[in-house]
Amino acid sequence: MIIKLIGKTHTSEIIKSLEKNDELHFGNICKYVKGHKNSINRILQELYDEGIVEKREENYSPKIPKSYYKLTDFGKEVSKIIDQLEDLEHKYYEAKNKPL
């Protein structure tokens, strides 16, 4: 299930933005990740359900709680795997485009 989740649109962008910034408010994640807010929210929920991110809410207003997200230790491991996959993909394209 995690492999499918990693392959979804915006997943790696969300994970990388959290890795660089430690903890981000949902609105800030949307600034880093260009996509529809509903899609980003859905991916964040899946990442939360899989234990890749943790969520913290602050209730400054009773109507609108602010949600903050950060990577769990497991999420940091997933981020390393994404890095490895990106490196592998880069090497693949370099090798594929080299003249024989």
Side-chain angles (χ1 to χ4, degrees), residues 12-56:
S12 62
E13 293 172 271
I14 291 169
I15 290 172
K16 289 300 168 188
S17 65
L18 289 171
E19 180 184 43
K20 290 177 184 171
N21 296 283
D22 189 40
E23 182 180 69
L24 287 173
H25 175 265
F26 175 76
N28 289 335
I29 293 171
C30 291
K31 289 178 185 176
Y32 282 101
V33 180
K34 303 300 179 201
H36 196 273
K37 288 182 180 183
N38 287 340
S39 298
I40 294 168
N41 189 49
R42 191 170 35 255
I43 294 293
L44 281 166
Q45 184 61 48
E46 289 182 60
L47 291 169
Y48 176 78
D49 291 344
E50 294 300 326
I52 296 170
V53 299
E54 57 186 54
K55 180 179 178 180
R56 176 177 67 86

